[in-house]
Amino acid sequence: MDFPRALRECRTRRHLSQLDLALRAGTTQRHLSFIESGRSVPGRKMVVRLAESLELPLRERNELLLAAGYAPAYPESALDDPVLAPVRTAIDHILRGHLPYPALVVDRGGDMIAANSAFDRITEGVCPELVGPGTNIYRLALHPDGLAPRIGNLAEWARHILARLGHLEELRVELAAYVPDLDPSAGLLGFAVPLHLRSSYGELHLITTVTTFATAVDVTLAELKLEAFLPADAATAEALSAAAGGAAAADRAPGNK
């Protein structure tokens, strides 16, 4: 990769001038101009400073270092690596702590890593091949054998999902073909895009939050996202709590020990 071009593209993509980036990185506009023109070769520390100043994701910081001819600075561990054992423990704790509401953890591509038991309330009746570790949650959301037939506000929700897939162009094209040509509802959406999902527990109105590991210096960890569903109204909260209570009672029933 051409490092000067890669740096220039990263800077312009973030709408920063050479002066803006130079000030952030603690250098001069003249020096940065020389780097971007190829007249000056930056040292490894300067490349790291530039990547940090651009607030690039760790994967892109490594790519910028490689383009400059340097080894990556940030490791990329397998999730089952012993070094990430505390992370797996933390994930399990967070997923259990979010009950009785659904929550799951996905990787950079939207592939499911883990989910809590309440996530079954959302996925009831979908094709088994679309659910479980390694499956893609965006495909689950919009596939005709997934959640799509039960989503009451499919146009709004599909637009929300597709807008998140800028870095996954092939998947975005696939999922866009599943979405009918529907016009979003007129008027304001409120404070967040809701998910209106028909279920055996009634219609669930949910909003989502996304949590990341803010201090991660491992690429794998930095790209994990905890997606948690929260009730948008009292009826949904009651339905999910009742469903959790029913599941717990079934587990305690004779023959299920």
Side-chain angles (χ1 to χ4, degrees), residues 69-85:
Y70 299 110
Y74 305 95
E76 184 175 358
S77 307
L79 195 56
D80 59 358
D81 191 304
V83 73
L84 293 186

Side-chain angles (χ1 to χ4, degrees), residues 20-108:
D20 291 332
L21 179 56
L23 290 173
R24 289 186 179 191
T27 186
T28 65
Q29 182 180 357
R30 177 183 175 86
H31 186 203
L32 181 58
S33 176
F34 277 29
I35 291 173
E36 289 193 353
S37 67
R39 296 172 63 186
S40 178
V41 178
R44 190 172 190 272
K45 288 184 179 180
M46 174 56 71
V47 177
V48 171
R49 274 164 47 198
L50 289 169
E52 290 175 344
S53 299
L54 288 164
E55 299 180 350
L56 298 178
L58 299 189
R59 182 179 297 278
E60 292 185 27
R61 297 184 192 187
N62 278 345
E63 291 171 353
L64 199 62
L65 281 161
L66 286 168
Y70 299 110
Y74 305 95
E76 184 175 358
S77 307
L79 195 56
D80 59 358
D81 191 304
V83 73
L84 293 186
V87 174
R88 296 193 299 274
T89 300
I91 287 172
D92 290 342
H93 178 74
I94 293 169
L95 290 176
R96 288 196 305 270
H98 195 66
L99 292 170
Y101 307 138
L104 69 160
V105 175
V106 299
D107 65 13
R108 176 174 181 265

Side-chain angles (χ1 to χ4, degrees), residues 13-210:
R13 198 164 61 238
R14 280 158 177 75
H15 307 289
L16 293 173
S17 67
Q18 285 186 342
L19 179 59
D20 291 332
L21 179 56
L23 290 173
R24 289 186 179 191
T27 186
T28 65
Q29 182 180 357
R30 177 183 175 86
H31 186 203
L32 181 58
S33 176
F34 277 29
I35 291 173
E36 289 193 353
S37 67
R39 296 172 63 186
S40 178
V41 178
R44 190 172 190 272
K45 288 184 179 180
M46 174 56 71
V47 177
V48 171
R49 274 164 47 198
L50 289 169
E52 290 175 344
S53 299
L54 288 164
E55 299 180 350
L56 298 178
L58 299 189
R59 182 179 297 278
E60 292 185 27
R61 297 184 192 187
N62 278 345
E63 291 171 353
L64 199 62
L65 281 161
L66 286 168
Y70 299 110
Y74 305 95
E76 184 175 358
S77 307
L79 195 56
D80 59 358
D81 191 304
V83 73
L84 293 186
V87 174
R88 296 193 299 274
T89 300
I91 287 172
D92 290 342
H93 178 74
I94 293 169
L95 290 176
R96 288 196 305 270
H98 195 66
L99 292 170
Y101 307 138
L104 69 160
V105 175
V106 299
D107 65 13
R108 176 174 181 265
D111 291 340
M112 185 188 299
I113 302 299
N116 65 12
S117 58
F119 193 63
D120 293 343
R121 319 281 184 261
I122 289 180
T123 61
E124 61 177 4
V126 307
C127 176
E129 295 179 357
L130 295 174
V131 187
T135 59
N136 189 274
I137 64 162
Y138 304 128
R139 185 175 289 111
L140 168 67
L142 300 184
H143 195 283
D145 294 329
L147 300 180
R150 294 194 289 115
I151 297 178
N153 59 334
L154 182 57
E156 290 88 354
W157 189 251
R159 177 176 292 185
H160 165 67
I161 293 293
L162 294 175
R164 300 176 63 180
L165 303 182
H167 66 299
L168 301 168
E169 181 61 22
E170 186 175 339
L171 180 62
R172 191 191 66 79
V173 171
E174 175 198 338
L175 300 188
Y178 297 143
V179 180
D181 188 16
L182 300 175
D183 291 326
S185 302
L188 298 175
L189 293 173
F191 61 88
V193 179
L195 171 62
H196 295 173
L197 187 67
R198 292 182 289 272
S199 77
S200 60
Y201 311 99
E203 182 164 309
L204 305 177
H205 293 181
L206 300 158
I207 56 175
T208 60
T209 64
V210 176

Side-chain angles (χ1 to χ4, degrees), residues 217-255:
V217 292
D218 184 283
V219 174
T220 300
L221 179 56
E223 293 178 345
L224 292 182
K225 293 183 176 65
L226 170 70
E227 302 217 2
F229 292 81
L230 294 166
D233 55 36
T236 298
E238 291 172 4
L240 291 172
S241 296
D251 289 341
R252 292 193 299 269

